[in-house]
Amino acid sequence: MDFRSLNGVVLHVEDLGPADRPALVFANSLGTDFRIWDDVVARLIERFRIVLYDKRGHGLSETGDSPYSIDDHVGDLAALMDDIAVEGAIVCGLSVGGLIAQGLYASRPELVSGLILCDTAHKIGTEEMWSQRMAAVAEGGIASIADAILERWFTEEFRESDPIALQGWHAMLTRTPLEGYLGTCAAIRDADFTEEARRIALPALCVVGEEDGATPPELVRQMADLIPGARYEVIAGSGHLPCIERPAQLAELILDFTEGKGLV
């Protein structure tokens, strides 16, 4: 395991694959750690230098001072890439990770050569929605809303066909540090990259699970329409986390996009 002290927090990091290959950096969703990418990484490891990290308040990374702004998360990723000497990377962000990816390009464009925006949007949810969720979690803990979240994360087919895996992902979610979860909810609540999306001037792939209950296809399509020249794809048989439900399809899209745009 690799840990880096950046911006006053210790982040859990993994840097894999050939150092001379194009870098592919993954940013995770709310309530997850970088293990969500395992089955995608296994299919791409020979083609890319893979960089994974747990954002502050998640996984094995420190919590730091909560609540956070999206700039805190963006600054952490920029500092990590500087620390390991990665620039011109393809950045793949899921949900809040997609907001982080958009913010990274807006603030440090030299770090990014392409964007893969997975089950995310230029703006996710409303202030009222996030305030209600934060109040529920502050009162009852993450476990009090976990079942509802898992229904948005995964299709009914997945939930019913693999209850053992479902319990494992439930454990990952509910073991997220409370302050890290609440702090990142605040960051998502206040983030709006609508104008920044219109100024994205590099290859962008916008991907969404067909049955995503958190950032549904119509929302992701709205983001894709904002980004000049963006490619939009829907993955059938997946909810909010296609990296878990449909890793082969997601990896294939990543390869097709990166090869087609000359990024590898």
Side-chain angles (χ1 to χ4, degrees), residues 74-243:
V74 170
D76 289 346
L77 179 53
L80 170 60
M81 293 174 70
D82 287 340
D83 193 55
I84 62 175
V86 169
E87 64 176 20
I90 304 147
V91 181
C92 178
L94 173 61
S95 198
V96 66
L99 292 172
I100 294 168
Q102 292 172 72
L104 183 70
Y105 174 70
S107 62
R108 295 284 306 278
E110 77 281 3
L111 296 179
V112 186
S113 65
L115 288 169
I116 299 168
L117 303 174
C118 188
D119 297 80
T120 188
H122 48 294
K123 181 170 178 55
I124 300 175
T126 64
E127 181 175 352
E128 180 182 11
M129 183 207 84
W130 286 110
S131 295
Q132 289 175 350
R133 182 184 295 197
M134 291 166 68
V137 170
E139 180 178 350
I142 299 172
S144 68
I145 64 167
D147 288 343
I149 290 174
L150 291 172
E151 288 180 5
R152 293 192 285 271
W153 278 9
F154 299 116
T155 61
E156 182 178 2
E157 178 186 0
F158 180 88
R159 300 194 309 271
E160 293 183 352
S161 66
D162 200 345
I164 294 174
L166 185 69
Q167 187 57 42
W169 298 119
H170 181 279
M172 178 190 63
L173 169 63
T174 56
R175 292 175 187 177
T176 301
L178 185 62
E179 290 305 309
Y181 190 91
L182 289 171
T184 301
C185 284
I188 301 170
R189 179 195 63 199
D190 299 336
D192 186 345
F193 287 112
T194 303
E195 293 306 315
E196 288 82 356
R198 294 189 173 102
R199 295 194 291 270
I200 292 174
L202 44 64
L205 170 65
C206 303
V207 183
V208 64
E210 182 180 33
E211 299 179 48
D212 187 335
T215 54
E218 57 268 26
L219 177 61
V220 180
R221 183 62 198 239
Q222 290 172 20
M223 175 185 63
D225 288 344
L226 290 172
I227 300 171
R231 175 178 170 183
Y232 172 74
E233 296 286 349
V234 178
I235 297 179
S238 178
H240 189 55
L241 302 178
C243 49

Side-chain angles (χ1 to χ4, degrees), residues 38-50:
D38 281 356
D39 289 342
V40 175
V41 168
R43 292 168 166 84
L44 300 176
I45 191 64
E46 294 182 1
R47 303 294 299 276
F48 298 94
R49 176 184 178 183
I50 303 285

